[in-house]
Amino acid sequence: MIQRQQYTPNSERNKGYASDCVSAFTQFLLDRGYKTTSLYTDLSNPTSNKIYIQIGYEPIMDSIGIVFK
């Protein structure tokens, strides 16, 4: 079982910090001449995916990682 890392303390969740950070950093890159930005997200985390869509990101493709042993 994969354990998901949680980076925002429970007491600080749902205050918009993640949305603000991702949005501000995206704007920072665009203001410096980047034409596009992209994110890799965890499809099993609907909260983060909803945030990214709300700030203007659009899903364009899914990917998988394959490890050969």
Side-chain angles (χ1 to χ4, degrees):
M1 176 185 234
I2 297 174
Q3 188 168 5
R4 181 179 296 153
Q5 293 283 336
Q6 297 182 351
Y7 299 99
T8 304
N10 289 335
S11 63
E12 299 302 317
R13 292 186 184 182
N14 300 312
K15 295 182 179 180
Y17 297 142
S19 299
D20 290 348
C21 287
V22 174
S23 182
F25 187 63
T26 299
Q27 193 60 56
F28 173 86
L29 294 172
L30 295 172
D31 289 347
R32 279 151 186 80
Y34 288 88
K35 302 287 184 213
T36 63
T37 62
S38 60
L39 296 169
Y40 281 91
T41 68
D42 180 353
L43 290 177
S44 69
N45 186 338
T47 301
S48 65
N49 292 309
K50 180 182 172 188
I51 288 169
Y52 301 143
I53 290 170
Q54 286 175 338
I55 62 174
Y57 282 89
E58 299 175 4
I60 56 169
M61 64 183 236
D62 295 339
S63 64
I64 60 170
I66 300 174
V67 177
F68 294 96
K69 294 184 178 190

